[in-house]
Structures are given as structure tokens and as C-alpha cells.
Amino acid sequence: MTSRYIAIDWGSTNLRAWLYEGDRCLESRQSEAGVTRLNGKSPQAVLAEVTENWREGATPVVMAGMVGSNMGWKVAPYLPVPAHFDAIGQQLTSVGDNIWIIPGLCVSRDDNHNVMRGEETQLLGARTLSPSSVYVMPGTHCKWVQADAQQIHDFRTVMTGELHHLLLRHSLVGAGLPEQESSPEAFAAGLTRGLASPAVLPQLFEVRASHVLGNLPREQVSEFLSGLLIGAEVATLGEQFAGQQAITLVAGSALAARYQQAFRAFGREAAVVEGDVAFQAGIRSIAHAVAN
């Protein structure tokens, strides 16, 4: 007999929920009530709203993301790495009647201090969908993860997406620019530069100077900067993490394509797993164990 359960991705700015019967999704819902946008409502009230008519009896609810942070419903303690994949589903934090939060992961060493929440659930799914030694998870804060079939060994975070946004919106690099346009050529040019010279700090002002001097179209600064930062990221962490190991990108199609292009230019191929697909596969694996 299949089991009914609810899977929730509850981040800082939004919430997504799926009602499952076994591996079959019956319905999905979205809300803008992320943990930083509850508008005076309690997490319990928001959960009740978003799962209205879903919880027959005590249908299990398994949640991942910032809901388990110090800004969220209740702190779900980080698991230190190295951590076995199985341990993630065995150390859930209870916040109510069959309502559970998945723990995040952390690294705390002299040479690396890092945390993640939400990506650990994507990793659980990606491990099944595309077994690899290295997982690269692009986004606002890109995660680079070393793992094997049994455990997660180490990870780093690169603030590539956030840095791109800050430089373009809140620094001299992007000051006074017109609306930006898509440009594969500008992205490729930035990528070549970032891969060749990954010590990117001295080059950031050059992005400004390039469009002031007319060498870079003002509408293409965003694309060039994106290529520069992604290229620098891949060149910096590619050797350290990737070596000759199998790489899987866990991302939406647009970001995955940019990183695939970067890895190809770096001389490596990377498989791709859609981020949402990985998340749902990961949270289902935990929910199955809880529901049964």
C-alpha cells in the first residue's frame, strides 16, 4: 500500500509544497511566506494554510531549507561532515504531530567553515539520479561538494550569484547602466577571461573601465561579468575539487548551461540534474522512511 506524505521546501523568501502518494505527486502549492516574510503569522499557521485539506489524520510532513535555521520555525542542528547520506534522514527535528525538519550540513575546520540548508536534500536525490564524486550546485551561493556513494566528505560555498547582483546593482561597476540584454558572446568573453585569470579582484574595476572606454557594450556588462565570475569560480575550485572525477551540476536549465559551458572550456564534462527534481527525489526518500 502506498503512503501519503507532504514534502516542503521552505526557504527565506518562499515556500513550495507537494502532496505525494508514494512517488506520485497529487498536487503542489506555492506561497510567498518564506521564513523572513511570515508577516506576523506563526510557522504553524502558515503550514496549516498551505496544506489545507491535505493532512488526513497525521499525514507526515517533511520540510527542508531555512525553516530549520535560527530564523525559521526551530533550529534543526547541523550535521558535521564527513556525514553519511543515511544520517540525514535519521536525525530529523520534530516540530509537531508527525512534522519534521531535515538537518543542514556544516564544516568547521581551521581551513574551512561552511554551512548549507536545503542543498543536502538535493544531494540525497542527485546521488541516486546521477552518482558522482563532485556535485556543483549553482545559485546565489554556489556549493561545491565532494562525496562518494555513502557519504559527503567536504564542501565549499562560492558567493558568485550574490556577488554578481551586488556588483551590478550596488557598485560602481554597474552604475548608470541601461537595461541589460542577453549576449552569449559577452558571456563567453568574460568566461575566457575568468578562466585564464581567476584572481578576479583586480579585474572587477576593468569591467567598469571597459564599458566607459567603449570596449564593452553597456547593455552587455551583466553577461560579461557573469562569465568572468563563473570562469574564476570554476578555475579556482575545479582543480581542487574535480580532478578527473565525475561531476554533476544540480541546477535549473539556465544556470546549468552556463556552468556546463565553463566546465567544457576548462576541459571537463559535467552531467546535469534539475534542481527541483533532485530536491523532490531527496525529500521523498526521507518521507518514505518516515511514512513507513
Side-chain angles (χ1 to χ4, degrees):
M1 191 174 79
T2 55
S3 298
R4 185 182 177 99
Y5 55 89
I6 296 164
I8 293 182
D9 180 6
W10 201 335
S12 299
T13 56
N14 56 53
L15 180 162
R16 294 181 298 165
W18 299 269
L19 174 63
Y20 276 97
E21 190 84 43
D23 286 338
R24 189 164 64 97
C25 181
L26 303 179
E27 191 180 348
S28 65
R29 296 175 182 167
Q30 294 194 42
S31 166
E32 292 187 351
V35 297
T36 62
R37 303 203 299 204
L38 297 178
N39 295 323
K41 293 181 182 175
S42 68
Q44 293 94 322
V46 171
L47 179 66
E49 283 179 17
V50 83
T51 62
E52 186 178 4
N53 302 324
W54 280 8
R55 294 202 76 195
E56 295 177 354
T59 301
V61 179
V62 181
M63 305 185 289
M66 293 301 286
V67 66
S69 72
N70 57 7
M71 299 186 300
W73 188 329
K74 183 178 181 180
V75 174
Y78 292 110
L79 293 180
V81 300
H84 282 268
F85 281 103
D86 293 345
I88 296 171
Q90 294 166 358
Q91 301 199 36
L92 307 179
T93 296
S94 173
V95 292
D97 183 17
N98 225 358
I99 304 170
W100 308 92
I101 301 177
I102 296 169
L105 299 176
C106 69
V107 182
S108 187
R109 303 193 310 264
D110 285 347
D111 69 331
N112 186 10
H113 294 93
N114 257 291
V115 294
M116 69 164 68
R117 282 201 189 275
E119 293 94 351
E120 76 294 319
T121 305
Q122 288 184 316
L123 283 170
L124 278 171
R127 172 182 71 145
T128 305
L129 298 166
S130 180
S132 290
S133 302
V134 175
Y135 296 91
V136 179
M137 312 173 87
T140 305
H141 300 148
C142 184
K143 306 290 184 185
W144 288 63
V145 184
Q146 286 179 315
D148 59 31
Q150 281 76 43
Q151 61 182 340
I152 298 152
H153 293 287
D154 200 9
F155 66 92
R156 297 265 177 184
T157 305
V158 191
M159 296 173 68
T160 307
E162 183 171 0
L163 189 56
H164 179 270
H165 174 80
L166 291 172
L167 288 168
L168 204 61
R169 304 294 178 199
H170 303 289
S171 85
L172 191 64
V173 172
L177 290 177
E179 184 174 345
Q180 296 296 286
E181 61 186 27
S182 176
S183 171
E185 296 78 17
F187 176 78
L191 192 60
T192 299
R193 187 73 179 271
L195 285 165
S197 304
V200 78
L201 282 178
Q203 300 183 69
L204 295 178
F205 187 80
E206 285 190 51
V207 180
R208 164 76 177 177
S210 293
H211 73 75
V212 167
L213 296 172
N215 302 112
L216 173 65
R218 297 174 75 239
E219 297 80 12
Q220 297 175 10
V221 172
S222 175
E223 290 284 89
F224 182 87
L225 182 62
S226 175
L228 179 70
L229 294 174
I230 291 173
E233 176 188 341
V234 169
T236 301
L237 290 183
E239 289 296 342
Q240 176 189 345
F241 268 72
Q244 294 303 310
Q245 303 173 90
I247 304 165
T248 290
L249 285 161
V250 184
S253 56
L255 267 179
R258 287 176 182 251
Y259 275 78
Q260 272 191 307
Q261 186 176 338
F263 274 111
R264 286 194 188 109
F266 189 63
R268 300 298 312 281
E269 287 295 324
V272 176
V273 172
E274 172 70 39
D276 278 356
V277 173
F279 179 88
Q280 290 181 59
I283 207 164
R284 282 204 311 271
S285 70
I286 292 176
H288 275 306
V290 170
N292 297 318

